[in-house]
Amino acid sequence: MCTLSRQRKGSIHELVQMILRERFCHQRLPEKPVGMESQHKHLLELLRRTAVHGESNSVLIVGPRGSGKTMLLNCVLRELLEVKDVNKNVLPVHLNGLLQTDDRIALKEITRQLNLENVVGDKVFGSFAENLAFLLEALKKGDRSSSRPVLFILDEFDLFAHHKNQTLLYNLLDVSQSAQAPVAVIGLTCRLDVLELLEKRVKSRFSHRQIHLLSSLSFIQYLDNVRSQLSLPQDFPDTKFYDEWNDSIKTLCEDQSVVDVLQRHYNSSKDFRSLHLLLMLALSRVSASKPAIKPTDLLEASRVCMVDSKANILHGLSILELCLIIAMKHLNDIYEGEPFNFQMVHNEFKKFLQRKSHSIHNFDKPVVMKAFEHLQQLELIKSMDSSTAKIQKEYQLMKLLLDHSQIMEALQKYPQCPTDVKQWAMSAFG
Amino acid sequence: MFVGLLLSRYLNMSVEGQEAVTTVTPGQYILIEGNDDEYPFVAKLLKFFGDESHKQKKALVQWFLRLSEVPQNKKLLLGRSPHPQEIFYYLGRACDNEINAESILGTVHVRQDNSPPGTKDTLYVKLSWDTKAFNVLDPVLMQDTPASTPPKPALPLFPPCASPTATPVSRGPVRRALPTPDPTVMRRAGSVSDTRATMSAGKRSTLEISANDLLLCLSQEWATLMGVGATKESELIMMDCSCLFPVGSRSYFIYLDVIFVVLLTCLPVLRLHVSSVPESLPCREQEFQDIYNFVESKVMDGTGGCMYISGVPGTGKTATIHEVIRCLQHASDMDEIPTFRFIEINGMKMTDPHQAYVQILQKLTDQKVTADHAAALLEKRFSNPAPKKETTVLLVDELDLLWTRKQNVMYNLFDWPTRRHARLVVLTIANTMDLPERIMINRVASRLGLTRMSFQPYSFKQLQQIITSRLNKVKAFEEDALQLVSRKVAALSGDARRCLDICRRATEICEHSASHPSSTGLVRMSHVMEALDEMFSSSYITAIGCASLQEQLFLRAVIAEFRRLGLEEATFQQVFVQHRALSRVEGLQPISVSEGLAVCQRLGACRLLLLEASRLDMLQRVRLNVSQDDVLYALKAVRD
């Protein structure tokens, strides 16, 4: 009896993990986009005009990263494709500026997704010029009443503007402004100045419709959002567990320390992706023996999220490398951030050894050099000269890529750091 | 080789055929060298004569056409698929009927009867083609005419053949007195829909119109609006309405009225779409007339020429030329001017300047060849005298993209029209007025010539007129609203596309707010303002307002650091020191360096800040992409 219930519990946890992970990692679309109702309505209306009435259009969706541009578009597409006629007719073409890095590739991809005649299997035949002529011809033959509407979705729209002559954009926008097959060109970008990237004849053909997704989410809404993201859906099979879980989430969100953590995250960014990362880390601690998210889980997750990326590298350095870093810090203080070279750092280090050190032995110069090079490989220091070949290694000018506070924090946490090294680091001017 | 060189009239002439020397005599059917080696031109030889200098031998011929030579859009008139050996007696007059004797390839048998010939070399003729229609051939025409008889009345405009020496080869039909001055031509198409629109405008007040008329009128309107596909829908509504209400009753009219209001609201949106082809092009009458005169005179004379047209985007350059061509094509259909070919290429619609040759050749002859080969073929086509050549009008859009380092594409495009036999008119379009001076080398610019035209950006009055004419007397905008749009666009760019886009958006906004009971259904100032705001307002200020607290703090830190340095540039490291100090002031927990970098990157991604490459880490330099005042204004607005 006991084992049976535990087994069931185990499977329930798997189910919970599955449902929530899908939300956080697989970008599962919410029932309804939150906080962007007017934009949703605008975009839906616009695409409906293309899909149903065959009116060509172009629109840009602009918003910072993680503000829900793709989510909004996908929600709208889902809603649009629910209409049966539309579903059969509309041909969506998805392009991404990071994948289709030039027009040649983009054209092949369009032809492939539209499944035009020159596609066999997964391969597109013909040269770049032929492909372009073919696609334009295909689009030109259509008219608004009889052709199937095509939705061109250009993710990372700004990258398409860097293609040679902006040929693809010109042609897509030109089709959208002439009586050819109905198309909608939807661009997604995070750049606010994207229109300035367009050449003037391309710009003239763009309809200048922009949908801005700038979240003016208040902290209360943010909290609500966290709660709803962590809550289980109503159709969860086990009603008892459903109640328990949702109650625990409710109390979790009222806990002061949790609110503080979330406030910190909210202050830092309103981006949904970073929130999802945080919640994901907290969720991963849920197991059969620990059936709910506790405030400590969230605190721990937040600590992992917020940790300085260089702290761990610093903890892994040898004492010698740490000493070199301290020497560089002093040089920075003395020369007010001017670049230094290995010789200067070595001198500083030798001074320390002669005057103050009790615990550190003298190292040979090649050994110190090796440590210095290691620091360069770790990119804790960076060479300032562009032409590295001409100057001897010892005299190459370097800059430290660490902040004062990062060094001090690392020293505090460094395991068994000799006291004289610590004192040296704290003292002003070496 | 030739008999009687000094005689002005040759009775016989031998031709070097592929295998043997054959002799041709007037009255025989001959093959003449053309563009297509497999299917040479066919004609009946009428007589030989020499030109003024007695150096070249000419021949007077009666042309026959193969179906492949009939214009693509007319082929369907035949109503059946042609026999491969079928040819048509040519009754048109656009083709020169004098040829160089050297271009004769050999003889061929032509029969006139109803059964297709059995042998492969024999052609047969059954119908005649007069550039408009296929007719049954009058057998009289086929009878052997003595060589000296002037050929039929089908060629009335040619001087009598009795004095052939006086006729230069390239001479076209006599040029008629210059053109129909043309507001009428331009409005030709408009008249039909005009009347319809007037009818619909009057509809609301005069409910006395018989219900049937109204129905007809509405369904017509609906049909034109929705395209063919939607006609069924409108019929459905109509049926529906006559079932519900007795025809002619009061409620029936109210119902119709409701439909009409629906129509009124969706009508402007469609008319205002940039793609909808307007019935006429207002405000470009002068440019239209100039281009029309230019092209028409070249077509009439059978000569060639270039014209360069410039203007900022959205000023109607391409549209005007299309309109000119449409009118000219209409005129040639009416037999007022000789027929001509129109081809269009666009620099933006090709991947490489040399593709221009490929596209031109493909549009001219349906051949698909490589760029080099195409260039050679075109060169041959335009430099050699060819019989039956009609004028080609070539439109080159976005000319600046055909620029190559050696400029050979542009050179050829402008050089061909100057050839004696080319009969090529090149119209080029680009955005910049001084393109010839800026990017063309002298020999290219010189060939382009000085026929230039520039399209000025539209003034607000013109824009207003454009919208009004597009709306076609349907009142959809309040007067003030219309003026606001046109003044705004005229001040910005004078781009008609922009103007129409704004109007379209404003109509949409109006439609959505139409649920308010107070609204009149007209687009008002507020709607236009909203549309303008959406399209033109800079989003930077809103973006700063919506940024997270740390992002706003970082912007403040950037400004503080700029003030400290007295420079408009600082490294991340420097800004971060300020940031930390500011967060201490604000009582916030200071953030770690990598978090600070993330904040900085986010601001950089939406271009509020301009950043160096991120591999520079803390040393990357930061600049503002917005003015400091804007940032401070936006941040102040947030705090209030």
Side-chain angles (χ1 to χ4, degrees):
Chain A
M1 183 73 202
C2 185
T3 49
L4 193 82
S5 79
R6 193 177 297 153
Q7 253 178 7
R8 228 189 63 216
K9 264 220 156 113
S11 68
I12 282 181
H13 284 104
E14 274 159 29
L15 194 62
V16 171
Q17 290 266 5
M18 208 181 71
I19 293 172
L20 296 184
R21 267 169 205 272
E22 204 166 316
R23 274 187 205 159
F24 300 146
C25 310
H26 297 284
Q27 299 177 346
R28 191 192 155 84
L29 296 178
E31 292 297 309
K32 199 112 182 101
V34 193
M36 42 181 85
E37 283 75 19
S38 70
Q39 286 98 332
H40 180 256
K41 199 175 146 203
H42 185 175
L43 188 63
L44 182 64
E45 178 60 22
L46 197 92
L47 294 190
R48 215 172 50 78
R49 273 174 186 281
T50 307
V52 180
H53 299 300
E55 184 182 314
S56 294
N57 255 320
S58 48
V59 65
L60 271 179
I61 306 174
V62 187
R65 297 221 179 272
S67 60
K69 301 180 289 292
T70 313
M71 189 267 291
L72 172 69
L73 179 67
N74 287 339
C75 278
V76 167
L77 283 181
R78 184 182 61 184
E79 206 162 316
L80 197 68
L81 295 179
E82 273 167 14
V83 185
K84 210 170 133 204
D85 280 3
V86 175
N87 193 4
K88 264 189 290 175
N89 273 330
V90 169
L91 298 163
V93 176
H94 293 267
L95 299 177
N96 190 320
L98 292 168
L99 297 176
Q100 281 78 42
T101 47
D102 65 25
D103 286 344
R104 185 187 305 264
I105 305 171
L107 270 177
K108 289 214 164 173
E109 184 62 21
I110 293 174
T111 326
R112 197 184 64 72
Q113 291 191 23
L114 285 178
N115 223 340
L116 296 175
E117 283 93 336
N118 54 349
V119 178
V120 176
D122 240 6
K123 275 215 153 109
V124 181
F125 288 97
S127 69
F128 182 28
E130 280 166 11
N131 283 337
L132 179 67
F134 189 80
L135 180 70
L136 290 177
E137 199 52 42
L139 290 172
K140 203 166 158 187
K141 271 187 201 146
D143 62 55
R144 48 173 293 171
S145 49
S146 61
S147 315
R148 295 172 71 177
V150 187
L151 306 182
F152 288 99
I153 295 151
L154 308 180
D155 216 339
E156 309 290 347
F157 183 82
D158 47 316
L159 295 178
F160 286 96
H162 296 304
H163 295 182
K164 188 178 164 244
N165 289 342
Q166 307 188 342
T167 311
L168 182 75
L169 290 184
Y170 178 92
N171 286 309
L172 289 185
L173 293 174
D174 196 53
V175 173
S176 84
Q177 296 240 318
S178 49
Q180 303 180 0
V183 300
V185 181
I186 307 147
L188 305 169
T189 180
C190 60
R191 283 185 69 161
L192 296 169
D193 63 344
V194 64
L195 282 187
E196 289 160 36
L197 297 176
L198 298 181
E199 222 189 314
K200 59 185 175 182
R201 53 188 149 211
V202 181
K203 197 173 167 184
S204 167
R205 282 165 174 78
F206 171 58
S207 73
H208 278 64
R209 283 163 194 253
Q210 296 185 58
I211 298 176
H212 287 283
L213 282 186
L214 299 164
S215 79
S216 48
L217 207 64
S218 71
F219 181 60
I220 308 291
Q221 287 168 314
Y222 189 78
L223 263 182
D224 277 346
N225 191 32
V226 172
R227 187 165 42 236
S228 64
Q229 290 275 329
L230 283 175
S231 301
L232 288 173
Q234 279 197 331
D235 53 1
F236 194 73
D238 189 335
T239 46
K240 186 162 161 281
F241 187 83
Y242 166 80
D243 288 336
E244 275 174 25
W245 176 271
N246 281 3
D247 282 344
S248 78
I249 293 299
K250 211 173 164 199
T251 43
L252 178 78
C253 290
E254 279 157 9
D255 187 288
Q256 192 50 47
S257 60
V258 170
V259 171
D260 283 347
V261 164
L262 289 175
Q263 175 85 53
R264 203 177 133 87
H265 273 266
Y266 171 78
N267 282 349
S268 161
S269 103
K270 299 176 185 176
D271 177 354
F272 285 119
R273 267 185 218 148
S274 61
L275 174 67
H276 283 166
L277 181 66
L278 178 77
L279 297 181
M280 180 67 210
L281 285 171
L283 175 72
S284 59
R285 294 163 166 268
V286 172
S287 63
S289 55
K290 204 165 143 300
I293 300 180
K294 293 272 179 293
T296 45
D297 297 334
L298 209 68
L299 294 186
E300 183 56 28
S302 161
R303 202 186 54 75
V304 173
C305 276
M306 295 271 186
V307 76
D308 193 286
S309 57
K310 280 179 191 153
N312 281 332
I313 302 180
L314 284 173
H315 291 170
L317 293 181
S318 67
I319 288 287
L320 172 61
E321 284 157 352
L322 200 63
C323 286
L324 290 181
I325 296 251
I326 293 168
M328 290 170 200
K329 173 192 160 258
H330 284 310
L331 285 172
N332 262 347
D333 287 345
I334 296 166
Y335 298 110
E336 291 178 330
E338 288 300 307
F340 46 81
N341 60 26
F342 170 73
Q343 211 58 46
M344 291 159 81
V345 176
H346 193 227
N347 280 344
E348 198 72 16
F349 179 57
K350 271 199 296 199
K351 265 197 280 177
F352 164 66
L353 287 183
Q354 284 159 10
R355 279 187 294 155
K356 296 180 185 162
S357 169
H358 313 291
S359 51
I360 315 267
H361 337 270
N362 202 356
F363 289 99
D364 290 338
K365 197 170 172 186
V367 177
V368 182
M369 186 68 200
K370 196 80 199 161
F372 189 79
E373 278 173 356
H374 187 224
L375 288 178
Q376 194 179 353
Q377 278 162 5
L378 287 172
E379 292 201 322
L380 292 176
I381 55 176
K382 190 167 176 60
S383 161
M384 297 309 289
D385 308 299
S386 48
S387 54
T388 45
K390 285 178 188 159
I391 307 167
Q392 271 185 306
K393 270 191 219 161
E394 290 88 339
Y395 301 105
Q396 269 178 28
L397 287 178
M398 296 287 183
K399 269 201 166 185
L400 184 62
L401 295 182
L402 284 170
D403 192 63
H404 208 284
S405 60
Q406 283 173 307
I407 300 171
M408 299 319 278
E409 205 182 290
L411 272 175
Q412 295 306 321
K413 290 184 185 163
Y414 194 85
Q416 289 140 23
C417 178
T419 6
D420 46 353
V421 174
K422 264 189 193 169
Q423 277 167 352
W424 178 44
M426 296 232 242
S427 67
F429 303 115
Chain B
M1 185 166 159
F2 297 115
V3 190
L5 260 182
L6 291 174
L7 292 174
S8 67
R9 189 172 297 172
Y10 309 93
L11 290 173
N12 288 305
M13 191 175 152
S14 53
V15 171
E16 278 182 78
Q18 261 108 344
E19 291 99 31
V21 174
T22 48
T23 314
V24 287
T25 50
Q28 269 189 315
Y29 294 91
I30 50 173
L31 294 174
I32 296 162
E33 189 182 340
N35 302 324
D36 197 336
D37 291 340
E38 211 174 318
Y39 295 106
F41 296 133
V42 183
K44 183 176 179 181
L45 183 62
L46 298 178
K47 63 170 178 174
F48 287 113
F49 61 90
D51 63 356
E52 299 91 330
S53 56
H54 294 283
K55 288 212 177 98
Q56 268 189 310
K57 285 154 294 296
K58 305 280 182 197
L60 200 62
V61 295
Q62 165 59 46
W63 289 111
F64 289 85
L65 288 184
R66 293 172 195 273
L67 191 75
S68 55
E69 296 165 50
V70 175
Q72 194 69 37
N73 52 351
K74 303 277 174 66
K75 280 183 186 169
L76 287 176
L77 291 173
L78 184 59
R80 60 181 165 86
S81 56
H83 191 275
Q85 272 127 276
E86 180 165 6
I87 52 173
F88 305 97
Y89 189 91
Y90 183 69
L91 279 173
R93 57 191 170 80
C95 290
D96 225 336
N97 60 348
E98 295 172 12
I99 56 163
N100 278 336
E102 284 93 5
S103 63
I104 298 174
L105 296 174
T107 59
V108 69
H109 288 290
V110 175
R111 287 183 4 202
Q112 188 199 7
D113 53 41
N114 289 333
S115 55
T119 51
K120 231 189 144 201
D121 330 316
T122 320
L123 302 167
Y124 83 104
V125 57
K126 193 168 138 190
L127 299 174
S128 67
W129 167 249
D130 62 355
T131 71
K132 299 280 174 307
F134 293 98
N135 299 312
V136 176
L137 181 60
D138 184 0
V140 177
L141 292 176
M142 283 296 284
Q143 279 158 17
D144 284 347
T145 39
S148 56
T149 326
K152 25 265 129 210
L155 308 159
L157 281 173
F158 280 85
C161 299
S163 58
T165 44
T167 321
V169 173
S170 63
R171 185 67 174 275
V174 179
R175 198 173 153 189
R176 83 186 147 84
L178 260 167
T180 43
D182 265 285
T184 43
V185 175
M186 290 174 68
R187 282 197 217 106
R188 165 174 54 71
S191 57
V192 183
S193 47
D194 258 0
T195 47
R196 207 171 47 229
T198 342
M199 270 163 76
S200 53
K203 230 179 293 163
R204 287 189 106 177
S205 54
T206 51
L207 286 180
E208 292 84 18
I209 309 174
S210 82
N212 271 338
D213 278 2
L214 214 58
L215 259 177
L216 193 71
C217 190
L218 270 173
S219 54
Q220 262 180 6
E221 190 93 292
W222 193 290
T224 42
L225 280 177
M226 297 303 180
V228 189
T231 331
K232 275 188 197 137
E233 200 180 332
S234 71
E235 274 168 14
L236 233 134
I237 292 180
M238 291 304 161
M239 272 166 59
D240 197 31
C241 107
S242 42
C243 301
L244 277 174
F245 313 106
V247 177
S249 74
R250 196 181 142 70
S251 42
Y252 178 65
F253 281 121
I254 292 172
Y255 191 85
L256 282 186
D257 222 12
V258 169
I259 296 178
F260 183 60
V261 171
V262 173
L263 277 174
L264 250 193
T265 46
C266 80
L267 191 97
V269 177
L270 294 175
R271 286 234 169 102
L272 286 172
H273 198 283
V274 184
S275 73
S276 79
V277 183
E279 287 105 11
S280 68
L281 285 173
C283 316
R284 287 295 179 223
E285 286 82 9
Q286 186 55 49
E287 285 85 354
F288 174 89
Q289 198 60 60
D290 289 351
I291 301 174
Y292 188 96
N293 290 353
F294 177 82
V295 180
E296 194 199 29
S297 64
K298 300 292 179 203
V299 172
M300 302 268 282
D301 292 351
T303 53
C306 294
M307 185 174 206
Y308 177 72
I309 297 163
S310 63
V312 292
T315 47
K317 300 177 294 294
T318 315
T320 306
I321 292 186
H322 280 148
E323 183 69 17
V324 166
I325 297 298
R326 223 178 58 184
C327 288
L328 283 169
Q329 236 137 24
H330 182 74
S332 90
D333 284 347
M334 297 313 247
D335 257 349
E336 284 158 5
I337 57 168
T339 54
F340 63 94
R341 295 278 301 264
F342 173 64
I343 348 175
E344 186 182 2
I345 58 169
N346 185 326
M348 273 300 225
K349 294 188 177 169
M350 54 189 73
T351 50
D352 172 85
H354 296 280
Q355 287 294 320
Y357 299 128
V358 180
Q359 293 199 1
I360 295 174
L361 191 75
Q362 192 182 0
K363 283 171 183 166
L364 273 175
T365 63
D366 262 345
Q367 282 172 281
K368 257 191 175 173
V369 294
T370 61
D372 289 339
H373 191 197
L377 284 176
L378 285 172
E379 176 75 34
K380 193 178 152 207
R381 185 189 171 97
F382 288 124
S383 47
N384 290 341
K388 282 203 282 185
K389 193 181 258 179
E390 46 185 11
T391 304
T392 311
V393 179
L394 172 65
L395 168 62
V396 185
D397 216 338
E398 314 290 1
L399 176 73
D400 48 332
L401 284 159
L402 296 185
W403 186 88
T404 50
R405 225 162 52 79
K406 285 164 99 184
Q407 308 200 356
N408 44 1
V409 179
M410 281 189 191
Y411 179 87
N412 279 332
L413 282 180
F414 303 144
D415 192 42
W416 290 330
T418 61
R419 308 274 169 82
R420 187 157 162 244
H421 305 286
R423 286 194 162 197
L424 176 67
V425 182
V426 178
L427 304 171
T428 56
I429 299 184
N431 288 146
T432 39
M433 198 147 79
D434 57 346
L435 190 77
E437 283 75 30
R438 252 184 334 120
I439 68 167
M440 290 183 199
I441 47 179
N442 286 338
R443 62 193 151 99
V444 176
S446 144
R447 276 168 177 77
L448 172 59
L450 293 170
T451 322
R452 300 210 190 152
M453 176 178 291
S454 94
F455 278 59
Q456 296 303 317
Y458 288 113
S459 72
F460 87 92
K461 280 211 173 110
Q462 290 174 320
L463 288 171
Q464 220 167 333
Q465 204 182 332
I466 290 170
I467 308 173
T468 332
S469 85
R470 282 241 177 181
L471 289 173
N472 210 347
K473 290 185 189 157
V474 178
K475 179 130 176 77
F477 278 75
E478 276 181 5
E479 204 51 45
D480 290 347
L482 207 57
Q483 195 159 120
L484 177 65
V485 178
S486 35
R487 278 190 188 270
K488 181 87 184 174
V489 175
L492 277 172
S493 57
D495 184 337
R497 290 196 189 105
R498 195 72 328 97
C499 195
L500 293 170
D501 281 331
I502 297 170
C503 289
R504 197 154 61 92
R505 178 70 190 132
T507 346
E508 279 178 30
I509 294 172
C510 171
E511 225 173 286
H512 284 296
S513 61
S515 49
H516 293 299
S518 62
S519 66
T520 53
L522 290 187
V523 180
R524 277 176 294 140
M525 281 287 258
S526 57
H527 301 133
V528 172
M529 288 294 267
E530 203 180 323
L532 282 172
D533 253 17
E534 256 184 39
M535 292 179 169
F536 291 106
S537 72
S538 151
S539 44
Y540 287 116
I541 300 209
T542 347
I544 295 173
C546 291
S548 73
L549 200 61
Q550 293 289 357
E551 286 160 5
Q552 290 174 351
L553 208 60
F554 194 84
L555 285 173
R556 275 171 67 192
V558 171
I559 292 186
E561 185 62 20
F562 284 179
R563 294 210 169 140
R564 191 182 72 84
L565 292 171
L567 282 172
E568 294 276 293
E569 191 177 274
T571 63
F572 170 79
Q573 203 166 14
Q574 291 167 319
V575 176
F576 192 67
V577 173
Q578 294 280 355
H579 182 96
R580 195 171 286 159
L582 276 173
S583 43
R584 236 173 267 135
V585 173
E586 294 284 322
L588 291 170
Q589 221 175 341
I591 55 174
S592 67
V593 178
S594 42
E595 227 176 306
L597 265 172
V599 166
C600 181
Q601 291 297 341
R602 273 201 296 272
L603 290 171
C606 58
R607 286 300 187 279
L608 283 168
L609 293 180
L610 296 174
L611 302 177
E612 278 186 302
S614 60
R615 69 189 152 75
L616 289 172
D617 205 55
M618 296 181 58
L619 302 175
Q620 60 184 315
R621 278 172 297 191
V622 177
R623 267 195 292 165
L624 273 178
N625 198 24
V626 212
S627 80
Q628 292 194 12
D629 293 337
D630 282 358
V631 178
L632 292 175
Y633 170 78
L635 291 175
K636 194 159 166 279
V638 174
R639 248 180 288 169
D640 288 345

